Amino acid sequence: MHDRHMRRIKYSTQYTSKMSKQKKNKSGTTHSWQVWAIYMLLAANLSEQQALKQACPSCSDAQLCNCSSMGLDFIPPGLTAKITMLNLAHNRIKHIRSQDLQQAVNLRALLLQSNKISSIDEDSFQSLAKLELLDLSNNSLAHLSPVWFGHLFSLQHLHLQGNFYRDLGESSPFSGLRNLSSLRLGNPQFSVIRQGNFEGIELLSKLWIDGGNLSQYEQGSLKLIKKINHMVINLRNINIFSEIVRDLLHSVTWLEVREIKLAVETKSLVQNSTRPFRMQKLTCKDAFFTDQSISRFLVLLKEITSLRELEAIDCVLDGRGIWDTKEIASSGQSFVETISIINVMIQKFHLFIDLEGMESQINKLKRLTIASSKVFMVPCKLARNFSSLIYLDFNDNLLVNNRLDETMCKDAWPSLQTLNLSQNSLKSLKQTAKYISRLPKLNNLDISQNNFGEIPDACEWPKNLKYLNLSSTQIPEVTTCIPPTLEVLDVSANNLKEFGLQLPFLKELYLTKNQLKTLPGAAPIPNLVVMSVRRNKLNSFSKEEFESFKRMELLDASDNNFICSCEFLSFIHHQAGISQVLVGWPDKYVCDSPLAVRGAQVGAVHLSLMECHRSLVVSSICILVFLVILILVAVGYKYHAVWYLRMTWAWLQAKRKPKRAPPKDICYDAFVSYSENDSNWVENIMVRELEQACPPFRLCLHKRDFVPGKWIVDNIIDSIEKSHKTLFVLSEHFVQSEWCKYELDFSHFRLFDENNDAVILVLLEPIQSKTIPKRFCKLRKIMNTKTYLEWPLEEEQQQMFWANLKRALKS
């Protein structure tokens, strides 16, 4: 019983242990799979990032990812949430897959234009809720799917033009795009617009439709859009044009029609439409007109009572101006205030008539632009009927002085305030001014880019002229021909070398591209606020010149060859607010010289003290050197430096001589060195005793035996060398005497080093050791180690002194 119980316990224990091991193995296996999955995920992520970096290097750790024109066949993997702008334009991408853009959740702009995209998975853009710009233009899309755009809640700009689709489908592809602001669609194959295609769009800033081959338009299709600020449509079918205009009368502000060939339209453009209308501007670009179609067109446009501006750009008129003026006049007054005709080609230009009969249609016109259209004259009769015109632009035409007399005849353009005659064929400034002076209200005149060549001293101008543009007119100078009433004057590009006109009311002056070397004087133009002297020969301008313009707010002096002198740089660096006044600062202000800073920005150049104050630095150095020399001279004089220098030189020379003079050169028994204060004892007692001895001793005394005119140092050296002994008469006067110091210096330099036995010391009076100068260290040593003779005061001992001295001299 006990054994069975024990076996049961043992079996239970083994079973529990086995089950525990199985659980552990299972848990370990699960954990391994988790680690393996994480590893594979990280590896895949790293692999994708590496592939993205390899396919498009600019995408690495950047918000703006530019992969355009890289020959890509697919959208590169590894796009992350960091990217906000992705440019894949001009590649060879054919298909957009569901997973391609799945991680780019913060994308704001996606550019895919000019690829070969023919298919897009339905959920490809599902994660792009923040996308604001999507460009799919110039691809191969054969249809548009509403599902593509269903999750693009933030989309503002959508470009779909240049694909292969023929229509927009049965319903609207844009119904979910509530924030859409601009839409571009259509292509050469686009032919059908159906009702409901624009459902969901209420407001557009710009709508562009390429409908050059549009053949079917269901009426009311564009009415669903409540407001369009600017609509551009390529259209050739005149019937569809009329239907579209009727649908847009209440929604579009500016309608721009391109490539249309206007035929004679009989139906009203406002048929069954109620006022008020919204359309204010109509532009025809690259259009084709005939005399008949334009006559009818002008009549029909009068029905659009909201229309205020007409514009014709790059159009062709096949006609001679023979319009049905009676029908035009009888149809009522036009509401148009602005007409712009730019680069219009009249095929039968030489046969074009003068538009007689249109007088009643132009008296309410306020702004007229006829540019680049070969206008050479406006008949006086017609010009007088522009009674309300305030703006007239004849830029780039064929106006000449002879015809200008007719165009600007008396009572013509009575309300005109602004006139642009730039880039015509006017030759005489005097005649031009005379004819223009007939315009009583003119205050703004542009006659630039006419070849006047010369300027008279006096001209006749309108009395209220405020603005005058004479740029690029080849005038060599400015004279009093320019009216003093001006507030704005532009004489750029005329090679002017100076400007000194008295213009008290002038506020703006433009002198770009001339030859000025200095700023104009401020006194004749005291009220100047803005001035441009860009691209002249200006080298610099001073603080005085700059501050003389009391009211100056803007100065454009860029693109000049500045000499970065110290004065100019000092002014630039220390002038408060210079960056707010100088236009183009600091990039456009570059040093031309000195050579060391050529090409550097003026504001960044700092010259050294030596370069800026050379004369001051040189003067300071000279003064400093002079003071040092003066101090050295003073110190040398006080401490006998010259003497020591000469003494050193003499000592060096003496060092090179033999240590002992030849016996034949010895002339004296002793050279006597003594103080002048001890001369009485030396000359009257010692000399008499020694020189009258038997045999007599020959002594060398400086007073008696030095060669006159010879330098004292040379005398001392020679006397010591020619003497058998050197005898020093020591006393308090000796050690305090400067002269004796020099003699002792020379003697101990040579004799003390060579042979101390040649030196005889005679102590005339007791000397305290502390009174001997420190530099006479050898003298101290000799006195401490060598016996010296002391002069006794007792007479009985003096005989012994003389005997000892004589014995020393003989030794």
Side-chain angles (χ1 to χ4, degrees):
M1 193 70 182
H2 177 73
D3 293 338
R4 286 200 303 267
H5 179 70
M6 289 301 293
R7 284 197 297 269
R8 191 181 296 119
I9 293 174
K10 184 177 181 181
Y11 175 79
S12 176
T13 304
Q14 291 175 348
Y15 176 79
T16 304
S17 175
K18 185 176 181 181
M19 291 298 295
S20 176
K21 287 181 180 178
Q22 288 179 351
K23 286 183 180 180
K24 286 182 179 179
N25 290 337
K26 186 176 181 181
S27 175
T29 304
T30 304
H31 180 69
S32 299
W33 276 107
Q34 289 176 346
V35 172
W36 178 253
I38 293 172
Y39 172 77
M40 291 299 294
L41 186 63
L42 290 173
N45 188 30
L46 289 172
S47 178
E48 286 185 352
Q49 290 182 1
Q50 188 68 24
L52 175 63
K53 186 175 182 181
Q54 186 175 0
C56 188
S58 69
C59 292
S60 179
D61 299 325
Q63 291 183 336
L64 306 180
C65 186
N66 186 2
C67 308
S68 64
S69 304
M70 299 189 71
L72 300 176
D73 296 318
F74 53 87
I75 295 177
L79 299 174
T80 65
K82 183 182 293 185
I83 299 172
T84 59
M85 188 276 208
L86 176 60
N87 185 355
L88 290 165
H90 302 283
N91 283 293
R92 299 192 298 264
I93 301 171
K94 295 180 179 180
H95 179 58
I96 301 178
R97 300 171 299 174
S98 300
Q99 68 271 22
D100 285 343
L101 301 166
Q102 190 174 3
Q103 302 300 322
V105 293
N106 291 314
L107 208 59
R108 301 293 177 90
L110 176 59
L111 307 180
L112 289 163
Q113 69 269 28
S114 301
N115 278 277
K116 297 180 179 180
I117 300 171
S118 58
S119 61
I120 302 174
D121 290 352
E122 289 189 350
D123 56 348
S124 295
F125 305 138
Q126 188 172 355
S127 61
L128 307 182
K130 297 181 180 180
L131 194 68
E132 297 175 359
L133 168 62
L134 175 60
D135 193 340
L136 289 166
S137 60
N138 300 315
N139 278 287
S140 303
L141 296 172
H143 73 282
L144 300 178
S145 172
V147 183
W148 296 345
F149 315 118
H151 294 85
L152 302 181
F153 307 116
S154 301
L155 197 66
Q156 299 178 22
H157 310 283
L158 178 60
H159 300 172
L160 297 168
Q161 75 275 19
N163 283 275
F164 295 157
Y165 54 86
R166 295 179 178 274
D167 57 30
L168 301 177
E170 297 297 329
S171 60
S172 172
F174 321 113
S175 56
L177 304 179
R178 301 298 180 182
N179 292 309
L180 198 63
S181 175
S182 68
L183 174 63
R184 296 170 177 261
L185 51 87
N187 54 74
Q189 289 79 35
F190 188 61
S191 59
V192 180
I193 295 180
R194 297 185 178 91
Q195 283 190 353
N197 282 162
F198 297 97
E199 186 177 355
I201 302 176
E202 295 188 357
L203 173 63
L204 284 178
S205 176
K206 187 167 185 177
L207 173 61
W208 193 96
I209 300 177
D210 183 358
N213 291 313
L214 193 64
S215 58
Q216 182 182 346
Y217 175 81
E218 293 185 4
Q219 192 173 0
S221 298
L222 287 167
K223 268 189 174 181
L224 296 174
I225 307 176
K226 303 300 182 184
K227 185 178 178 181
I228 306 171
N229 292 331
H230 183 195
M231 177 175 173
V232 181
I233 183 167
N234 291 44
L235 200 61
R236 296 189 181 96
N237 192 314
I238 184 63
N239 296 321
I240 293 180
F241 166 72
S242 301
E243 293 175 2
I244 288 178
V245 169
R246 295 186 191 104
D247 279 356
L248 296 175
L249 284 172
H250 298 92
S251 59
V252 74
T253 302
W254 175 13
L255 176 61
E256 183 176 338
V257 184
R258 299 182 177 183
E259 300 178 5
I260 193 166
K261 186 175 182 180
L262 282 178
V264 179
E265 174 64 45
T266 57
K267 292 182 181 180
S268 172
L269 294 176
V270 298
Q271 190 177 18
N272 300 325
S273 299
T274 58
R275 299 180 184 181
F277 305 134
R278 187 185 292 275
M279 190 180 296
Q280 297 180 11
K281 181 177 179 179
L282 176 62
T283 297
C284 294
K285 188 172 183 181
D286 299 313
F288 182 85
F289 302 95
T290 63
D291 281 344
Q292 294 75 24
S293 64
I294 202 169
S295 298
R296 185 60 185 161
F297 190 57
L298 292 175
V299 172
L300 294 176
L301 289 179
K302 289 183 182 181
E303 298 176 345
I304 308 176
T305 54
S306 60
L307 196 63
R308 294 292 181 269
E309 185 173 352
L310 284 177
E311 193 173 49
I313 302 173
D314 301 329
C315 296
V316 176
L317 174 60
D318 184 12
R320 299 184 297 161
I322 304 175
W323 301 344
D324 192 345
T325 56
K326 290 184 179 180
E327 183 186 5
I328 295 173
S330 63
S331 62
Q333 182 65 47
S334 173
F335 294 94
V336 174
E337 297 178 348
T338 302
I339 294 178
S340 298
I341 301 171
I342 301 171
N343 195 29
V344 171
M345 186 179 72
I346 303 173
Q347 294 181 337
K348 299 176 181 177
F349 175 74
H350 60 288
L351 299 175
F352 199 81
I353 62 174
D354 59 5
L355 299 179
E356 185 178 356
M358 289 291 293
E359 291 84 2
S360 63
Q361 300 300 302
I362 59 176
N363 54 14
K364 299 296 183 181
L365 200 63
K366 292 183 179 180
R367 287 170 289 274
L368 175 62
T369 297
I370 306 178
S372 305
S373 299
K374 298 181 180 179
V375 174
F376 62 89
M377 184 193 71
V378 177
C380 181
K381 182 179 179 181
L382 187 65
R384 285 173 176 167
N385 283 276
F386 285 96
S387 55
S388 301
L389 200 73
I390 59 174
Y391 178 91
L392 177 60
D393 186 351
F394 279 146
N395 172 59
D396 189 20
N397 282 290
L398 301 175
L399 292 168
V400 296
N401 285 105
N402 294 338
R403 296 291 186 172
L404 193 64
D405 189 14
E406 173 78 6
T407 304
M408 300 294 165
C409 65
K410 187 179 179 181
D411 299 327
W413 324 96
S415 302
L416 196 63
Q417 297 178 15
T418 300
L419 174 62
N420 185 356
L421 298 177
S422 63
Q423 204 172 344
N424 277 272
S425 299
L426 304 174
K427 301 294 182 183
S428 173
L429 181 57
K430 190 177 184 69
Q431 287 185 359
T432 301
K434 178 182 177 182
Y435 301 145
I436 292 173
S437 67
R438 297 168 182 169
L439 306 174
K441 295 185 179 181
L442 192 73
N443 57 42
N444 190 325
L445 175 63
D446 186 348
I447 50 176
S448 62
Q449 301 186 67
N450 285 284
N451 192 7
F452 294 123
E454 60 181 21
I455 181 171
D457 292 331
C459 299
E460 186 179 357
W461 298 96
K463 294 181 179 179
N464 297 318
L465 196 63
K466 304 295 183 186
Y467 173 95
L468 178 60
N469 190 344
L470 274 168
S471 62
S472 302
T473 54
Q474 306 300 315
I475 56 174
E477 58 182 345
V478 287
T479 67
T480 51
C481 168
I482 293 176
T485 58
L486 293 180
E487 293 182 1
V488 179
L489 174 61
D490 190 345
V491 285
S492 301
N494 280 307
N495 293 321
L496 303 178
K497 295 182 179 179
E498 59 182 13
F499 186 93
L501 283 181
Q502 191 81 30
L503 299 172
F505 304 106
L506 197 68
K507 295 180 180 179
E508 299 180 24
L509 176 60
Y510 300 92
L511 292 161
T512 303
K513 292 179 67 178
N514 281 289
Q515 303 293 320
L516 272 69
K517 294 182 179 180
T518 59
L519 292 179
I525 42 178
N527 292 305
L528 201 66
V529 177
V530 176
M531 179 166 62
S532 174
V533 286
R534 185 170 59 89
R535 295 184 66 183
N536 276 264
K537 291 187 175 181
L538 206 65
N539 292 327
S540 65
F541 46 89
S542 65
K543 180 179 181 181
E544 291 73 20
E545 289 176 316
F546 183 78
E547 293 182 346
S548 62
F549 294 95
K550 303 297 183 182
R551 301 187 178 183
M552 181 77 74
E553 294 179 4
L554 292 176
L555 172 62
D556 188 353
S558 59
D559 297 326
N560 280 284
N561 295 327
F562 289 105
I563 296 176
C564 289
S565 63
C566 300
E567 181 183 3
F568 179 57
L569 292 177
S570 176
F571 156 63
I572 289 293
H573 293 152
H574 296 95
Q575 184 69 27
I578 193 76
S579 58
Q580 280 75 38
V581 177
L582 290 181
V583 178
W585 178 267
D587 298 338
K588 298 293 184 179
Y589 294 78
V590 176
C591 294
D592 183 62
S593 64
L595 188 62
V597 296
R598 177 175 290 178
Q601 292 181 3
V602 172
V605 173
H606 295 272
L607 298 180
S608 65
L609 184 66
M610 185 64 180
E611 291 173 304
C612 287
H613 305 285
R614 187 182 302 273
S615 59
L616 179 61
V617 171
V618 171
S619 300
S620 300
I621 292 174
C622 291
I623 292 173
L624 184 62
V625 170
F626 176 75
L627 289 175
V628 169
I629 293 173
L630 194 63
I631 292 171
L632 290 176
V633 169
V635 171
Y637 178 79
K638 178 175 177 62
Y639 295 101
H640 307 284
V642 176
W643 169 267
Y644 281 109
L645 289 174
R646 297 186 69 181
M647 183 180 69
T648 303
W649 174 247
W651 172 74
L652 290 173
Q653 286 183 319
K655 276 288 188 180
R656 290 198 296 268
K657 293 180 180 180
K659 293 185 176 182
R660 277 293 188 182
K664 61 180 180 178
D665 292 334
I666 300 298
C667 302
Y668 303 102
D669 293 304
F671 167 71
V672 183
S673 175
Y674 60 96
S675 170
E676 190 63 32
N677 292 316
D678 300 323
S679 60
N680 183 53
W681 184 85
V682 172
E683 296 169 3
N684 296 325
I685 298 176
M686 187 184 73
V687 171
R688 185 177 67 243
E689 182 66 30
L690 295 177
E691 288 189 347
Q692 293 181 3
C694 186
F697 293 93
R698 293 194 61 191
L699 301 180
C700 179
L701 304 178
H702 63 268
K703 281 186 179 182
R704 183 183 66 189
D705 299 313
F706 278 8
V707 178
K710 193 173 184 178
W711 187 41
I712 185 67
V713 175
D714 292 333
N715 272 314
I716 293 173
I717 294 294
D718 290 343
S719 298
I720 290 174
E721 289 179 346
K722 292 178 180 180
S723 300
H724 182 64
K725 301 283 186 179
T726 301
L727 194 154
F728 288 97
V729 180
L730 304 178
S731 67
E732 289 288 345
H733 298 298
F734 182 95
V735 296
Q736 298 300 326
S737 169
E738 290 296 324
W739 183 262
C740 292
K741 288 179 184 178
Y742 302 147
E743 290 185 344
L744 189 60
D745 280 337
F746 276 100
S747 63
H748 90 250
F749 277 152
R750 181 172 176 83
L751 300 175
F752 291 179
D753 287 336
E754 294 174 359
N755 184 4
N756 287 334
D757 292 337
V759 176
I760 300 173
L761 301 181
V762 175
L763 195 61
L764 195 60
E765 60 183 4
I767 300 176
Q768 298 294 327
S769 177
K770 62 181 181 181
T771 62
I772 301 174
K774 292 182 180 180
R775 61 194 184 91
F776 292 158
C777 57
K778 290 197 175 184
L779 178 61
R780 285 201 192 94
K781 183 178 179 181
I782 292 172
M783 292 181 69
N784 292 329
T785 60
K786 193 175 179 68
T787 304
Y788 50 85
L789 300 174
E790 291 188 56
W791 172 250
L793 296 177
E794 297 81 7
E795 291 185 7
E796 59 275 10
Q797 296 181 3
Q798 290 177 359
Q799 290 299 323
M800 182 62 67
F801 169 81
W802 293 119
N804 291 333
L805 180 57
K806 290 175 183 178
R807 189 165 47 254
L809 288 173
K810 289 178 181 179
S811 62

Tab-separated table of all heavy atoms in Angstrom, residues 660 725-726 747-748 750-761 778 781-782 785-787:
chain	number	residue	atom	x	y	z
A	660	ARG	N	101.571	92.160	-23.354
A	660	ARG	CA	102.695	92.990	-22.892
A	660	ARG	C	103.301	93.725	-24.079
A	660	ARG	O	103.512	93.137	-25.137
A	660	ARG	CB	103.793	92.115	-22.268
A	660	ARG	CG	103.547	91.758	-20.835
A	660	ARG	CD	103.620	92.967	-19.938
A	660	ARG	NE	103.571	92.609	-18.539
A	660	ARG	CZ	103.585	93.494	-17.554
A	660	ARG	NH1	103.640	94.775	-17.844
A	660	ARG	NH2	103.552	93.100	-16.296
A	725	LYS	N	104.689	100.113	-14.657
A	725	LYS	CA	103.735	99.908	-13.571
A	725	LYS	C	102.583	100.896	-13.712
A	725	LYS	O	102.690	101.905	-14.411
A	725	LYS	CB	104.416	100.146	-12.203
A	725	LYS	CG	105.613	99.249	-11.892
A	725	LYS	CD	105.167	97.862	-11.493
A	725	LYS	CE	106.382	97.029	-11.037
A	725	LYS	NZ	105.986	95.672	-10.621
A	726	THR	N	101.489	100.558	-13.026
A	726	THR	CA	100.357	101.494	-12.933
A	726	THR	C	100.162	101.785	-11.462
A	726	THR	O	99.966	100.851	-10.657
A	726	THR	CB	99.080	100.900	-13.539
A	726	THR	OG1	99.311	100.587	-14.910
A	726	THR	CG2	97.921	101.886	-13.434
A	747	SER	N	91.845	100.143	-16.543
A	747	SER	CA	93.042	99.500	-16.010
A	747	SER	C	92.741	98.094	-15.526
A	747	SER	O	93.474	97.159	-15.804
A	747	SER	CB	93.644	100.346	-14.885
A	747	SER	OG	92.721	100.418	-13.819
A	748	HIS	N	91.630	97.928	-14.834
A	748	HIS	CA	91.379	96.595	-14.315
A	748	HIS	C	90.870	95.667	-15.400
A	748	HIS	O	91.034	94.454	-15.331
A	748	HIS	CB	90.465	96.628	-13.082
A	748	HIS	CG	88.997	96.546	-13.355
A	748	HIS	ND1	88.168	97.617	-13.164
A	748	HIS	CD2	88.213	95.517	-13.772
A	748	HIS	CE1	86.941	97.262	-13.456
A	748	HIS	NE2	86.932	95.993	-13.837
A	750	ARG	N	92.241	95.360	-18.196
A	750	ARG	CA	93.429	94.776	-18.830
A	750	ARG	C	94.447	94.272	-17.794
A	750	ARG	O	94.812	93.122	-17.803
A	750	ARG	CB	94.099	95.831	-19.716
A	750	ARG	CG	95.332	95.299	-20.430
A	750	ARG	CD	95.833	96.297	-21.429
A	750	ARG	NE	97.050	95.861	-22.066
A	750	ARG	CZ	97.129	95.048	-23.100
A	750	ARG	NH1	96.012	94.536	-23.612
A	750	ARG	NH2	98.269	94.687	-23.625
A	751	LEU	N	94.812	95.149	-16.852
A	751	LEU	CA	95.951	94.850	-16.001
A	751	LEU	C	95.608	93.889	-14.874
A	751	LEU	O	96.402	93.051	-14.516
A	751	LEU	CB	96.532	96.157	-15.448
A	751	LEU	CG	97.011	97.138	-16.534
A	751	LEU	CD1	97.445	98.443	-15.901
A	751	LEU	CD2	98.168	96.536	-17.317
A	752	PHE	N	94.448	94.035	-14.308
A	752	PHE	CA	94.102	93.171	-13.191
A	752	PHE	C	93.988	91.725	-13.641
A	752	PHE	O	94.290	90.809	-12.901
A	752	PHE	CB	92.813	93.613	-12.530
A	752	PHE	CG	92.900	94.923	-11.793
A	752	PHE	CD1	91.789	95.450	-11.155
A	752	PHE	CD2	94.108	95.631	-11.724
A	752	PHE	CE1	91.863	96.655	-10.480
A	752	PHE	CE2	94.177	96.841	-11.050
A	752	PHE	CZ	93.049	97.352	-10.434
A	753	ASP	N	93.525	91.547	-14.916
A	753	ASP	CA	93.395	90.183	-15.427
A	753	ASP	C	94.752	89.593	-15.793
A	753	ASP	O	94.988	88.408	-15.652
A	753	ASP	CB	92.493	90.157	-16.664
A	753	ASP	CG	91.050	90.376	-16.266
A	753	ASP	OD1	90.708	90.093	-15.099
A	753	ASP	OD2	90.253	90.830	-17.124
A	754	GLU	N	95.672	90.456	-16.272
A	754	GLU	CA	96.927	89.961	-16.814
A	754	GLU	C	97.977	89.728	-15.716
A	754	GLU	O	98.555	88.662	-15.599
A	754	GLU	CB	97.494	90.947	-17.834
A	754	GLU	CG	96.632	91.066	-19.074
A	754	GLU	CD	97.151	92.160	-19.993
A	754	GLU	OE1	98.153	92.801	-19.632
A	754	GLU	OE2	96.542	92.382	-21.048
A	755	ASN	N	98.233	90.767	-14.911
A	755	ASN	CA	99.346	90.663	-13.957
A	755	ASN	C	99.120	91.642	-12.820
A	755	ASN	O	99.309	92.845	-12.986
A	755	ASN	CB	100.671	90.963	-14.671
A	755	ASN	CG	101.861	90.769	-13.750
A	755	ASN	OD1	101.714	90.340	-12.594
A	755	ASN	ND2	103.040	91.080	-14.237
A	756	ASN	N	98.703	91.115	-11.734
A	756	ASN	CA	98.415	91.998	-10.618
A	756	ASN	C	99.675	92.684	-10.064
A	756	ASN	O	99.590	93.689	-9.377
A	756	ASN	CB	97.740	91.210	-9.496
A	756	ASN	CG	96.296	90.860	-9.859
A	756	ASN	OD1	95.698	91.575	-10.648
A	756	ASN	ND2	95.789	89.794	-9.288
A	757	ASP	N	100.852	92.136	-10.361
A	757	ASP	CA	102.091	92.737	-9.863
A	757	ASP	C	102.384	94.063	-10.529
A	757	ASP	O	103.208	94.830	-10.048
A	757	ASP	CB	103.266	91.772	-10.100
A	757	ASP	CG	103.145	90.534	-9.229
A	757	ASP	OD1	102.458	90.636	-8.180
A	757	ASP	OD2	103.693	89.491	-9.606
A	758	ALA	N	101.739	94.348	-11.649
A	758	ALA	CA	101.985	95.618	-12.349
A	758	ALA	C	101.206	96.757	-11.724
A	758	ALA	O	101.367	97.902	-12.132
A	758	ALA	CB	101.639	95.471	-13.826
A	759	VAL	N	100.420	96.453	-10.761
A	759	VAL	CA	99.575	97.475	-10.135
A	759	VAL	C	100.129	97.781	-8.744
A	759	VAL	O	100.421	96.877	-7.963
A	759	VAL	CB	98.124	96.992	-10.010
A	759	VAL	CG1	97.285	98.023	-9.270
A	759	VAL	CG2	97.550	96.706	-11.379
A	760	ILE	N	100.266	99.095	-8.493
A	760	ILE	CA	100.713	99.560	-7.166
A	760	ILE	C	99.616	100.445	-6.594
A	760	ILE	O	99.183	101.404	-7.257
A	760	ILE	CB	102.026	100.357	-7.258
A	760	ILE	CG1	103.140	99.484	-7.847
A	760	ILE	CG2	102.439	100.887	-5.886
A	760	ILE	CD1	104.408	100.244	-8.135
A	761	LEU	N	99.184	100.102	-5.399
A	761	LEU	CA	98.135	100.874	-4.755
A	761	LEU	C	98.742	101.718	-3.637
A	761	LEU	O	99.440	101.195	-2.754
A	761	LEU	CB	97.084	99.940	-4.164
A	761	LEU	CG	96.372	98.991	-5.148
A	761	LEU	CD1	95.339	98.157	-4.408
A	761	LEU	CD2	95.719	99.776	-6.270
A	778	LYS	N	86.821	94.126	-8.151
A	778	LYS	CA	88.224	93.697	-8.212
A	778	LYS	C	89.114	94.575	-7.346
A	778	LYS	O	90.109	94.118	-6.787
A	778	LYS	CB	88.708	93.694	-9.660
A	778	LYS	CG	88.060	92.584	-10.492
A	778	LYS	CD	88.820	92.319	-11.773
A	778	LYS	CE	88.220	91.136	-12.508
A	778	LYS	NZ	88.987	90.783	-13.704
A	781	LYS	N	88.783	93.247	-3.991
A	781	LYS	CA	89.518	91.987	-3.866
A	781	LYS	C	91.012	92.232	-3.706
A	781	LYS	O	91.689	91.613	-2.863
A	781	LYS	CB	89.235	91.136	-5.102
A	781	LYS	CG	89.882	89.754	-5.053
A	781	LYS	CD	89.520	88.958	-6.295
A	781	LYS	CE	90.183	87.590	-6.257
A	781	LYS	NZ	89.872	86.798	-7.458
A	782	ILE	N	91.546	93.164	-4.510
A	782	ILE	CA	92.976	93.471	-4.435
A	782	ILE	C	93.335	94.058	-3.069
A	782	ILE	O	94.342	93.708	-2.454
A	782	ILE	CB	93.379	94.437	-5.554
A	782	ILE	CG1	93.250	93.703	-6.906
A	782	ILE	CG2	94.801	94.943	-5.378
A	782	ILE	CD1	93.428	94.626	-8.092
A	785	THR	N	93.391	91.287	-0.562
A	785	THR	CA	94.353	90.185	-0.726
A	785	THR	C	95.776	90.670	-0.985
A	785	THR	O	96.700	89.873	-0.970
A	785	THR	CB	93.915	89.288	-1.901
A	785	THR	OG1	93.859	90.055	-3.099
A	785	THR	CG2	92.543	88.679	-1.636
A	786	LYS	N	95.993	91.936	-1.262
A	786	LYS	CA	97.303	92.419	-1.680
A	786	LYS	C	97.736	93.583	-0.760
A	786	LYS	O	96.911	94.389	-0.349
A	786	LYS	CB	97.230	92.882	-3.135
A	786	LYS	CG	98.584	93.120	-3.779
A	786	LYS	CD	98.367	93.459	-5.245
A	786	LYS	CE	99.679	93.740	-5.938
A	786	LYS	NZ	100.512	92.531	-6.053
A	787	THR	N	98.986	93.593	-0.527
A	787	THR	CA	99.525	94.664	0.327
A	787	THR	C	99.547	95.968	-0.448
A	787	THR	O	99.882	96.001	-1.633
A	787	THR	CB	100.961	94.328	0.794
A	787	THR	OG1	100.932	93.054	1.457
A	787	THR	CG2	101.499	95.380	1.731
